[in-house]
């Protein structure tokens, strides 16, 4: 059975500029929708986190108001409960892109705390880019691309077209003014050809083998787009 690697944040909080540790983790929909699409397509999923720590779901993402209603929230919770891979992750440092059909990075605010600085994840992303195989990154997870910069600030992702969580969406959840930095700003500085669609609606950008999605609503469509080309 072909395998797909899902790289999740291992962070339980996101440090604000005043030092406050905002509780977070991975966003439920951004794991559940792709995981469901991948497993229903017959793929075996492996979860990887920095250090192999068990990832934490952002409890806010399971609120009915955030999940699209009580039934949707219960369904997401059921998938997370049944996904044993979440309780037995491998360490990102032990993952090799060549072992998988593709890699998919779900978001949530967690990646802003750890994957944005993680050298093992950066190595994996460089491998993915060099492989010529398609891979996907959604919402806040493009922050992991920032870690691919070398000592001169250069990255193989420079001038790629992509998207990610917007400044306006960050303002919409009340954290833009509190954050040390914002993803949209940093991706533009990299530099990349950053673009965005309507707030909270699915928006996907593909450039060569890199597939990115703007927000939680983009996670499911991004996974299906990826399945069509791997």
């Amino acid at each position: 059975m072909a395998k797909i690697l899902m790289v999740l944040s291992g962070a339980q909080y996101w440090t604000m500029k005043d030092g406050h540790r905002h509780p977070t983790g991975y966003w439920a929909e951004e794991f559940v929708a792709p995981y469901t699409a991948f497993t229903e397509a017959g793929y075996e999923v492996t979860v990887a986190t920095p250090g192999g720590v068990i990832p934490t779901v952002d409890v806010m993402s399971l609120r009915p108001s955030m999940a699209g209603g009580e039934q949707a929230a219960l369904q997401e919770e059921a998938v997370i409960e049944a996904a044993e891979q979440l309780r037995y992750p491998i360490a990102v440092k032990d993952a090799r892109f060549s072992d998988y059909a593709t890699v998919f990075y779900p978001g949530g605010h967690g990646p802003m705390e750890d994957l944005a600085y993680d050298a093992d994840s950066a190595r994996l992303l460089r491998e993915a880019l060099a492989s010529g195989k398609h891979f996907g990154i959604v919402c806040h997870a493009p922050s992991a691309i920032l870690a691919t910069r070398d000592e001169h600030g250069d990255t193989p992702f420079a001038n790629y077209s992509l998207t990610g969580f917007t400044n306006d969406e960050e303002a919409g959840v009340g954290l833009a003014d509190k954050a040390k930095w914002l993803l949209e700003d940093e991706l533009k500085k990299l530099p990349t050809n950053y673009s965005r669609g309507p707030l909270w609606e699915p928006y996907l950008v593909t450039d060569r083998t890199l597939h990115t999605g703007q927000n939680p609503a983009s996670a499911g469509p991004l996974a299906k787009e990826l399945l069509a080309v791997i």
Side-chain angles (χ1 to χ4, degrees), residues 115-117 122 125-126 129 135 137 140-164 181-195 207-208 210 212:
L115 295 178
Y117 310 97
L125 286 173
R126 292 190 202 98
L129 204 60
F135 61 105
I137 314 177
H140 286 90
S143 60
I145 293 173
L146 303 175
T148 65
R149 292 174 290 193
D150 63 18
E151 63 272 19
H152 306 294
D154 297 326
T155 169
F157 289 87
N159 300 314
Y160 266 73
S161 295
L162 50 67
T163 188
W181 50 271
L182 298 176
L183 180 60
E184 177 181 337
D185 293 342
E186 295 304 309
L187 290 175
K188 287 177 177 176
K189 291 176 189 175
L190 206 52
T192 63
N193 298 317
Y194 176 92
S195 64
D207 187 346
R208 289 156 278 186
L210 173 64
T212 52

Side-chain angles (χ1 to χ4, degrees), residues 72-88:
L74 289 172
Q75 288 173 344
E76 289 183 353
E77 189 173 354
V79 172
I80 290 169
E81 174 67 26
E84 283 294 307
Q85 298 94 326
L86 287 169
R87 262 76 70 193
Y88 299 96

Side-chain angles (χ1 to χ4, degrees), residues 26-34 61-62 66-67 76 80 216-220:
Y26 68 89
W27 197 258
E29 181 181 4
E30 295 177 37
F31 171 78
V32 170
S61 68
L62 289 172
M66 291 290 186
E76 289 183 353
I80 290 169
S218 305

Side-chain angles (χ1 to χ4, degrees), residues 77-228:
E77 189 173 354
V79 172
I80 290 169
E81 174 67 26
E84 283 294 307
Q85 298 94 326
L86 287 169
R87 262 76 70 193
Y88 299 96
I90 67 170
V92 177
K93 69 179 178 61
D94 295 327
R96 294 294 175 269
F97 185 78
S98 57
D99 293 337
Y100 301 92
T102 190
V103 65
F104 190 95
Y105 277 65
H109 285 111
M112 303 281 279
E113 184 73 22
D114 59 2
L115 295 178
Y117 310 97
D118 191 273
D120 296 314
S121 169
R123 183 265 308 161
L124 187 68
L125 286 173
R126 292 190 202 98
E127 287 181 5
L129 204 60
S131 74
K133 294 195 291 187
H134 294 260
F135 61 105
I137 314 177
V138 70
C139 199
H140 286 90
S143 60
I145 293 173
L146 303 175
T148 65
R149 292 174 290 193
D150 63 18
E151 63 272 19
H152 306 294
D154 297 326
T155 169
F157 289 87
N159 300 314
Y160 266 73
S161 295
L162 50 67
T163 188
F165 205 64
T166 68
N167 290 355
D168 289 338
E169 286 167 324
E170 204 68 83
V173 296
L175 295 174
D177 292 340
K178 301 175 182 178
K180 292 180 181 178
W181 50 271
L182 298 176
L183 180 60
E184 177 181 337
D185 293 342
E186 295 304 309
L187 290 175
K188 287 177 177 176
K189 291 176 189 175
L190 206 52
T192 63
N193 298 317
Y194 176 92
S195 64
R196 50 182 284 182
L199 302 186
W200 311 116
E201 295 182 18
Y203 180 72
L204 311 180
V205 174
T206 299
D207 187 346
R208 289 156 278 186
T209 58
L210 173 64
H211 300 249
T212 52
Q214 178 176 310
N215 47 34
S218 305
L222 186 65
K224 291 175 182 176
E225 178 182 274
L226 201 55
L227 283 170

Side-chain angles (χ1 to χ4, degrees), residues 8-15 20-26 49-50 53-60 108-115:
L8 273 65
S9 168
Q12 298 181 358
Y13 57 85
W14 179 26
T15 306
H20 171 69
R21 292 179 170 183
H22 175 74
T24 188
Y26 68 89
T49 62
V53 302
I54 296 173
T56 299
V57 64
D58 189 324
V59 294
M60 185 181 296
H109 285 111
M112 303 281 279
E113 184 73 22
D114 59 2
L115 295 178

